[in-house]
């Protein structure tokens, strides 16, 4: 492995860890000595990577360091293409358009051979089952989630029973047969899932809910036995 590839790999490993990770663990994962690991970290810090920590304590990469798209591997490019095409199939029109725009921006800065790989990709997202029509604006729903806003909704469950709920939405999921908002329901005092084709927005945003959305997401994942690394 060349030094540039090793530095890129170190950045990728650090990106996967949200908490400080020891130098010994990093060195083991990369297959290098501790001395080489410390030297590589110093090199990345000198190049502008906001890596905090020290020997014996651990290291963490803080947000803000941008990895140039031209450093993507062919497999990473294929993953981006397939992901964008899946978003185009499953997401709402605004998000699908954003996925295409993001892919175009990446294409513009790739070197010629990788640009050809992207445009000639043979990975496709096949058509799935038709999705029911959303009764809420998903672009607005994503904004409510980002700004951690409470909402009042009308909801009709699978049995057709109607109710009004005050919810704290914290995530939006895209399944093959439906789009679903994950939220804390104050009526049930528990986490609940709400299909977007069965809900109507009655009032919102009402105000910021008292917890951070990542707190809610992690608590929901723990309740459902979902490892944090999958979030």
């Amino acid at each position: 492995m060349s030094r540039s590839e090793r530095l890129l790999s170190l950045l990728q490993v650090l990106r996967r860890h949200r908490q400080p990770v020891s130098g010994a663990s990093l060195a083991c994962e990369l297959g290098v000595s501790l001395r080489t690991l410390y030297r590589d970290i110093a090199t990345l810090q000198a190049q502008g990577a906001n890596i905090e920590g020290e020997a014996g304590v651990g290291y963490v990469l803080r947000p803000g360091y941008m990895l140039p798209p031209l450093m993507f591997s062919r497999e990473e490019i294929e993953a981006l293409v397939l992901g964008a095409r899946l978003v185009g199939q499953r997401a709402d029109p605004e998000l699908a358009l954003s996925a295409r725009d993001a892919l175009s921006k990446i294409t513009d800065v790739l070197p010629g051979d990788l640009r050809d790989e992207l445009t000639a990709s043979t990975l496709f997202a096949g058509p799935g089952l038709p999705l029911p029509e959303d009764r809420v604006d998903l672009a607005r729903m994503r904004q409510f989630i980002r700004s951690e806003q409470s909402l009042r909704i009308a909801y009709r469950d699978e049995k057709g029973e109607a109710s009004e709920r005050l919810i704290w939405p914290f995530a939006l999921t895209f399944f093959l047969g439906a789009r679903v908002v994950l939220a804390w329901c104050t009526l049930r005092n528990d986490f609940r899932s709400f299909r977007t084709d069965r809900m109507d927005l009655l009032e919102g945003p009402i105000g910021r809910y008292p917890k951070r959305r990542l707190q809610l997401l992690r608590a929901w994942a723990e309740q459902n036995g979902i490892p944090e690394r999958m979030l």
Side-chain angles (χ1 to χ4, degrees):
M1 180 187 296
S2 69
R3 187 162 186 266
S4 60
E5 290 174 326
R6 192 175 69 241
L7 292 174
L8 177 60
S9 295
L10 175 54
L11 278 174
Q12 297 289 58
V13 171
L14 285 169
R15 284 179 183 275
R16 291 200 298 267
H17 293 277
R18 298 180 181 178
Q19 301 299 322
V21 56
S22 70
S25 296
L26 291 170
C28 180
E29 185 165 351
L30 293 169
V32 299
S33 67
L34 264 177
R35 185 175 180 178
T36 298
L37 185 279
Y38 294 148
R39 187 167 59 243
D40 287 349
I41 285 178
T43 298
L44 289 172
Q45 288 172 328
Q47 292 176 356
N50 189 9
I51 301 174
E52 296 182 359
E54 57 185 278
V57 176
Y59 298 91
V60 63
L61 178 65
R62 298 302 182 190
Y65 186 71
M66 301 302 293
L67 190 62
L70 59 85
M71 299 296 289
F72 290 150
S73 69
R74 283 177 168 80
E75 289 74 18
E76 289 168 339
I77 288 173
E78 287 188 332
L80 288 170
V81 171
L82 181 58
R85 289 172 176 172
L86 284 169
V87 170
Q89 288 281 349
R90 297 288 95 193
D92 56 280
E94 291 86 353
L95 201 57
L97 177 59
S98 294
R100 292 194 293 272
D101 288 346
L103 207 57
S104 295
K105 290 177 182 178
I106 292 172
T107 304
D108 288 344
V109 296
L110 285 173
D113 58 335
L114 293 182
R115 187 184 305 119
D116 293 341
E117 290 275 347
L118 188 150
T119 55
S121 175
T122 54
L123 298 181
F124 297 98
L129 296 174
L131 284 166
E133 185 177 353
D134 298 309
R135 297 177 63 88
V136 292
D137 184 336
L138 294 195
R140 288 192 69 198
M141 183 60 67
R142 290 195 298 274
Q143 179 57 43
F144 294 147
I145 291 171
R146 285 193 294 268
S147 57
E148 301 174 336
Q149 294 291 326
S150 300
L151 309 174
R152 193 175 305 280
I153 64 168
Y155 192 71
R156 190 173 298 275
D157 64 20
E158 66 276 6
K159 298 178 181 178
E161 297 179 358
S163 61
E164 290 190 10
R165 314 285 186 99
L166 178 64
I167 65 171
W168 305 345
F170 61 85
L172 183 61
T173 59
F174 295 84
F175 294 104
L176 290 179
R179 302 179 180 111
V180 176
V181 174
L182 302 180
W184 179 266
C185 176
T186 60
L187 177 65
R188 305 302 185 196
N189 197 34
D190 201 356
F191 295 109
R192 287 292 186 269
S193 301
F194 300 97
R195 287 179 49 144
T196 57
D197 59 308
R198 295 176 180 169
M199 61 187 295
D200 290 288
L201 178 64
L202 297 181
E203 184 181 3
I206 296 175
R208 187 166 180 168
Y209 47 74
K211 293 187 178 182
R212 304 310 303 267
R213 69 175 186 273
L214 286 180
Q215 286 180 287
L216 293 172
L217 179 61
R218 287 168 179 158
W220 169 84
E222 182 178 0
Q223 186 180 100
N224 289 275
I226 299 173
E228 188 170 336
R229 67 176 182 276
M230 297 181 63
L231 299 180

